[in-house]
Amino acid sequence: QVAQKLFQPIQDIKKMTIWGNHSGTQYPDLDHAEIRGKQVRTLLQDQDWVENEFIPTVQNRGAAVIEARGLSSAASAANAAIYHVHDWMLGAHHNDWVTMGVPSDGSYGIPEGVIYGFPFRCKQGQYQIVQGLSISEQSRKRMDDSYRELLEEREHVKHLLG
């Protein structure tokens, strides 16, 4: 979407992060995203588009795939898993990172052990959360919303298991 909006090749977009749960609360964060070394936020001034089109489209992508196919999104998830393992084992492109959902180590205020999407640098099967990113107040709110949803899901499962 960002590539189309800015008329840029998709492979030129780097450092894109999707924080949190893989659900309607996931947060696609453009604050650190770059195109050929330039901040996406400086190139993309249309905040209304970001808030009302980009973020909701990303958040609802899974449901959109199911609706479009009339079937499960399992093929899409399988394809994503292939790319995930590729990046994990072989690394992301130079000066880039990927988002992975892993147990938190406490980074970015997400309590340890919660499975959560973070930005990672990967190399030869090793991964490390990208540290030191500045988080805006708006981003923090969205990240916390996703965290709270994960807690609600965990509590729901605990309740079901008795």
Side-chain angles (χ1 to χ4, degrees):
Q1 290 180 77
V2 172
Q4 288 177 337
K5 180 77 172 169
L6 294 174
F7 304 103
Q8 299 294 319
I10 194 167
Q11 65 269 17
D12 286 354
I13 298 177
K14 309 290 185 213
K15 299 181 180 177
M16 179 69 204
T17 302
I18 311 275
W19 298 97
N21 195 7
H22 185 262
S23 72
T25 64
Q26 65 186 309
Y27 171 50
D29 183 0
L30 294 176
D31 287 349
H32 307 286
E34 299 177 355
I35 297 178
R36 289 183 306 286
K38 294 180 182 173
Q39 293 292 312
V40 166
R41 286 288 193 182
T42 63
L43 301 171
L44 180 59
Q45 299 292 318
D46 189 350
Q47 187 62 26
D48 183 64
W49 177 84
V50 171
E51 292 293 326
N52 297 308
E53 290 187 46
F54 173 67
I55 292 174
T57 298
V58 172
Q59 290 175 329
N60 297 307
R61 184 182 178 279
V65 169
I66 292 169
E67 185 176 325
R69 295 186 70 230
L71 301 166
S72 162
S73 61
S76 179
N79 192 48
I82 291 167
Y83 281 104
H84 173 83
V85 171
H86 173 274
D87 290 340
W88 180 11
M89 299 310 294
L90 301 177
H93 299 286
H94 174 72
N95 197 32
D96 199 4
W97 59 60
V98 296
T99 297
M100 297 180 2
V102 302
S104 175
D105 62 0
S107 293
Y108 296 100
I110 303 302
E112 196 170 317
V114 174
I115 309 294
Y116 194 90
F118 294 96
F120 282 89
R121 293 195 192 280
C122 301
K123 187 174 183 181
Q124 298 174 339
Q126 301 294 314
Y127 61 84
Q128 186 173 38
I129 295 174
V130 174
Q131 296 294 333
L133 299 177
S134 61
I135 305 297
S136 70
E137 188 176 317
Q138 179 185 29
S139 293
R140 177 84 265 157
K141 181 191 176 312
R142 290 181 180 273
M143 291 166 66
D144 289 347
D145 287 348
S146 196
Y147 166 68
R148 277 190 294 280
E149 180 187 53
L150 287 165
L151 290 183
E152 289 170 9
E153 289 177 3
R154 181 171 66 184
E155 291 307 312
H156 181 70
V157 169
K158 282 181 181 179
H159 176 74
L160 290 175
L161 297 175

